[in-house]
Structures are given as C-alpha cells and as structure tokens.
Amino acid sequence: MQCKVLNSLNNHWEGLMVFVANPQVPMDNNIAERRMRNPGMGRKNYYGSGSQWSAKLAAMMFSLFQTILLWGLNPHHWLHDYLNACANNGGQPPSDIRPFIPWMMSEQRKQQLSKPLPELTATPPESEQPQPP
C-alpha cells in the first residue's frame, strides 16, 4: 500500500508543486461545488414543471446571477435596479443595458451595486396610519 502511495506522489509531484509555488491556487474545488449546489438542488424541485421554457429560464437566471456574484455585485441590489429600470421603461427592458452588464459598468456603479440594497421606507397609505386617540 505504501508503495502505491509513494508512486502516486512521485507521478503527481509536478502538479502538487503548483500549490507550493502559487499559494493563491486553491487545493480543492469547494467553491465550484458550492456554486453548483443551488442548481443541483433546484433541478429536483423544477423537475415537475414539464416545460422547456421554464428550464431555459432557470438556466439563464442561474447563469445571470452567478455572473453577478463573480463580479462581486449584490444580486438583490442589481435585480432591484434592473426591475426599476424596466418599470420606468413601460415594463420593457431598458434601451441601454450597459449599466447592468458588469464588464461594461463604471467602477463607481460596481461599487454602488456591490453594497446591500438600502432600506426602503415606504409611508403607509393614510387609511393605515395610526390615528391619535
């Protein structure tokens, strides 16, 4: 058994030295495995949908949100801004989508969208506001 281990170590020595020479290289793929967990778990939940359009939509959304995460943006903040832009454009996608594409954003916009969404304070309608006694 020890012979097999030593032979394997000898055969893979060059690849193992990558981690010594480049400490920034992770020794495992846990990040990739964690990123695949949500789509993997979702696949079982979405199985009963029975439509190809919903599977394509889910694939596009997973790809979109993973891209947003890889660029260090807050997906909730990004989606809120994008949906507001759609609402302000009559329910249609904005004519200029560059402010929503991470590699086309200014550094200032990236910094803005990387932060949590500010608390929205909505004033309740007058009928729901507490009345003084």
Side-chain angles (χ1 to χ4, degrees):
M1 183 64 166
Q2 287 179 343
C3 187
K4 282 184 177 182
V5 170
L6 293 174
N7 281 335
S8 177
L9 183 62
N10 190 40
N11 291 338
H12 296 100
W13 188 254
E14 187 176 328
L16 292 170
M17 292 308 295
V18 168
F19 304 112
V20 174
N22 303 296
Q24 71 276 14
V25 175
M27 292 183 76
D28 57 40
N29 66 346
N30 288 343
I31 293 172
E33 288 181 9
R34 279 194 301 273
R35 299 230 182 219
M36 292 177 61
R37 184 175 299 145
N38 287 339
M41 290 180 69
R43 181 178 52 235
K44 183 174 180 180
N45 296 334
Y46 311 139
Y47 182 71
S49 68
S51 64
Q52 287 186 339
W53 72 266
S54 65
K56 288 179 183 178
L57 176 62
M60 287 188 289
M61 295 304 289
F62 280 123
S63 177
L64 175 68
F65 288 124
Q66 288 303 317
T67 300
I68 290 167
L69 287 169
L70 285 172
W71 279 83
L73 305 178
N74 180 319
H76 186 220
H77 197 162
W78 182 93
L79 185 60
H80 180 269
D81 274 16
Y82 181 76
L83 292 176
N84 272 338
C86 291
N88 293 335
N89 196 36
Q92 297 297 315
S95 54
D96 182 13
I97 62 167
R98 285 178 293 184
F100 301 99
I101 299 176
W103 53 92
M104 297 179 129
M105 289 179 188
S106 67
E107 280 304 313
Q108 180 182 2
R109 177 118 171 105
K110 285 181 202 171
Q111 288 178 3
Q112 174 194 4
L113 290 178
S114 68
K115 297 176 181 168
L117 187 63
E119 287 288 327
L120 300 176
T121 55
T123 307
E126 208 165 303
S127 62
E128 293 179 20
Q129 289 183 1
Q131 300 296 321

